[in-house]
Amino acid sequence: MKIIKLFFLLLLTVSLSCKDREKTITELENVRTAIKKVFAPDKRVELFDIQFEFLNNQIILKGETTSKKALSILQDSLNKRNVDFINAVRILPDSAVGNQQFAVARNSVINIRSQPKHSAELGTQGLLGMALKVLDKKGDFYRIQTPDNYISWVDKGGITRMNKTEIDTWNRSKKIIFTKNFGYVYGVKSENAIIVSDITLGGSLQYVSEDQQFYEVKYPDNRIGFIKKNEAVIYLSWLKNLKATQENIESISRTMIGFPYLWGGTSSKGMDCSGFTKMVYLMNGVIIPRDASQQINAGKTVDINLKFEGLEKGDLLFFGRKATPEKNQRVTHVGIWLGNDKMEFIHASGNVHLSSMDKNQSHYDEMNRNRYLGSKRYLNIDDHNIIDLKEKIKL
């Protein structure tokens, strides 16, 4: 409550002058910055992109946001100062996507990019069957939000759009989850059949039926296929029997050794450092933030003295540029501590592999030792940024 009170005091101290456009815009931008700092500090998970323009001595609010509350506070602050303005801000999602404000990934891996074009940087990936929010449309691309709240763009061929009723039906439906690193969905019950699509670790599809060898499954676009039963399991059974333990974190992480590094990747087809840690925790029934710079802000801080003391298997180790009087700390890498006598951790750098913080080991990682920033514990920690899938579906 103290933070909110201070926040509103800050807004009330801003004096707007309609006689001086440049000064007015500067002061409005200060108000906007204060609101954004509270309600949308990370544009990767919340949008508050507002601009101010003058037209005939009237201010026009333009831009887009995903936070109705933030926009409402901005409007209230202007009204209290008798500032004449027109609100032209888009609250996403809006009419650009109509009532189909949801989607499901229809390919084994969908590439989600920083801008609505194929040449843009890969920001993250989604897995087959993943439910998404649809916020905006530009050309053949949709701005979507993943279950970890990451906002970026995907081309229309990667998703099947749905309305609220359809996505609720999809989310409630019985599903299977693919538990091998790579595989195929077949057109009929045979490994020699035409392939409907490939499928990767963590992908899921709607359950239709089963026999001794195959699951019959349905895609979000209603295609039908068959998956070998020794490569998948009923999703709720998998989740119910799953235990996010230190041993299981290590076990899952080791199955990914050798996976190639891919900037923006979060799948068995390729993963970056935080995509790797995210995937390991996902296959243990836990959704964690997407990027290393976000992951360091979740969980419980451990090893405050940076001596690798008090660490436990499964803790996340962070690396990057240490803070100086001139520059802030910058997180650029993350790995998973394995808690053994070799001081090993596993991470994606070039590919997924083991490294050590013990200078006597042949795989000692001197570079990362010198840029070690600290560690966070996620297992059994109550944090709104760490989503336990069992709790989410009330298992």
Side-chain angles (χ1 to χ4, degrees):
M1 288 300 296
K2 290 183 178 179
I3 294 176
I4 298 297
K5 288 180 180 179
L6 290 172
F7 171 69
F8 280 107
L9 285 174
L10 172 62
L11 296 182
L12 292 172
T13 59
V14 179
S15 177
L16 302 179
S17 171
C18 293
K19 297 179 180 179
D20 186 341
R21 291 187 177 186
E22 184 175 340
K23 181 180 178 182
T24 300
I25 291 296
T26 298
E27 292 175 338
L28 283 174
E29 288 175 346
N30 289 337
V31 173
R32 178 195 62 196
T33 299
I35 294 173
K36 186 173 184 177
K37 189 174 183 179
V38 173
F39 292 96
D42 188 344
K43 65 181 181 180
R44 292 169 293 187
V45 299
E46 194 82 71
L47 301 176
F48 191 70
D49 184 15
I50 309 297
Q51 300 88 41
F52 306 100
E53 292 183 7
F54 267 106
L55 180 64
N56 299 326
N57 292 321
Q58 191 173 47
I59 291 174
I60 302 177
L61 305 185
K62 303 181 75 174
E64 55 200 17
T65 183
T66 53
S67 176
K68 292 181 181 180
K69 187 173 184 179
L71 179 60
S72 177
I73 290 175
L74 176 61
Q75 292 174 296
D76 288 345
S77 67
L78 298 183
N79 286 326
K80 288 177 181 177
R81 293 163 183 77
N82 297 316
V83 175
D84 191 17
F85 69 92
I86 296 174
N87 176 31
V89 175
R90 297 175 61 208
I91 300 175
L92 304 179
D94 63 6
S95 59
V97 298
N99 70 340
Q100 291 184 313
Q101 297 180 2
F102 305 91
V104 175
R106 64 183 297 274
N107 293 335
S108 62
V109 176
I110 59 171
N111 294 319
I112 303 172
R113 301 188 179 278
S114 59
Q115 298 294 330
K117 54 185 179 180
H118 289 289
S119 59
E121 178 182 78
L122 185 64
T124 190
Q125 292 178 321
L127 302 175
L128 180 62
M130 179 181 286
L132 311 161
K133 295 179 182 178
V134 180
L135 304 176
D136 200 3
K137 183 181 188 297
K138 188 171 290 187
D140 288 337
F141 281 78
Y142 288 91
R143 179 179 263 170
I144 55 91
Q145 190 167 31
T146 59
D148 57 7
N149 296 319
Y150 202 89
I151 298 173
S152 212
W153 297 86
V154 65
D155 70 279
K156 65 179 183 180
I159 59 174
T160 296
R161 294 176 62 206
M162 297 183 178
N163 59 32
K164 182 66 166 60
T165 300
E166 291 167 336
I167 195 67
D168 286 345
T169 299
W170 175 265
N171 288 334
R172 288 194 301 265
S173 66
K174 184 176 181 179
K175 298 184 183 68
I176 61 89
I177 182 170
F178 194 74
T179 55
K180 300 297 182 182
N181 289 339
F182 308 97
Y184 298 101
V185 183
Y186 301 98
V188 297
K189 299 177 184 180
S190 170
E191 292 183 49
N192 299 318
I194 292 176
I195 294 170
V196 179
S197 79
D198 66 329
I199 187 169
T200 62
L201 181 67
S204 63
L205 288 169
Q206 187 175 341
Y207 171 95
V208 178
S209 66
E210 64 183 286
D211 61 17
Q212 290 186 341
Q213 293 184 306
F214 286 89
Y215 287 115
E216 182 181 3
V217 294
K218 182 189 287 188
Y219 286 74
D221 56 5
N222 293 321
R223 286 175 292 167
I224 296 293
F226 299 87
I227 295 177
K228 291 188 291 184
K229 290 186 74 173
N230 60 359
E231 295 181 344
V233 66
I234 301 299
Y235 177 78
L236 286 182
S237 296
W238 170 79
L239 191 58
K240 184 177 181 180
N241 294 321
L242 196 62
K243 294 181 180 179
T245 64
Q246 295 179 358
E247 290 70 27
N248 286 342
I249 292 291
E250 178 175 8
S251 176
I252 291 293
S253 68
R254 285 182 177 273
T255 66
M256 301 182 191
I257 289 177
F259 281 12
Y261 181 92
L262 175 65
W263 178 272
T266 60
S267 72
S268 54
K269 290 188 174 183
M271 50 184 59
D272 59 22
C273 61
S274 55
F276 165 66
T277 55
K278 176 177 174 57
M279 194 66 186
V280 169
Y281 270 85
L282 178 63
M283 295 311 295
N284 277 274
V286 181
I287 296 176
I288 69 174
R290 168 61 183 94
D291 293 337
S293 58
Q294 297 169 311
Q295 291 175 2
I296 198 172
N297 294 318
K300 176 185 176 182
T301 300
V302 290
D303 191 25
I304 296 175
N305 297 321
L306 306 183
K307 295 181 181 289
F308 303 99
E309 296 175 345
L311 291 175
E312 296 180 2
K313 185 182 299 185
D315 291 345
L316 299 189
L317 279 62
F318 296 93
F319 310 90
R321 183 185 68 203
K322 297 182 179 181
T324 67
E326 296 78 27
K327 295 182 179 180
N328 293 328
Q329 172 180 284
R330 183 165 180 261
V331 180
T332 59
H333 192 56
V334 61
I336 299 175
W337 185 249
L338 295 184
N340 55 39
D341 57 6
K342 294 182 180 180
M343 297 181 69
E344 286 181 320
F345 67 104
I346 184 168
H347 59 139
S349 178
N351 60 11
V352 177
H353 64 275
L354 300 178
S355 294
S356 172
M357 287 301 172
D358 181 354
K359 64 178 62 177
N360 296 315
Q361 299 295 324
S362 60
H363 53 324
Y364 172 55
D365 192 339
E366 183 178 11
M367 180 189 75
N368 279 318
R369 175 65 183 87
N370 292 332
R371 61 176 190 157
Y372 175 53
L373 301 175
S375 297
K376 286 297 188 79
R377 182 162 300 150
Y378 278 23
L379 289 177
N380 303 314
I381 299 299
D382 185 14
D383 186 318
H384 72 278
N385 291 309
I386 303 171
I387 302 171
D388 186 332
L389 288 173
K390 286 186 178 182
E391 293 182 2
K392 187 175 181 181
I393 61 174
K394 303 290 190 287
L395 270 185

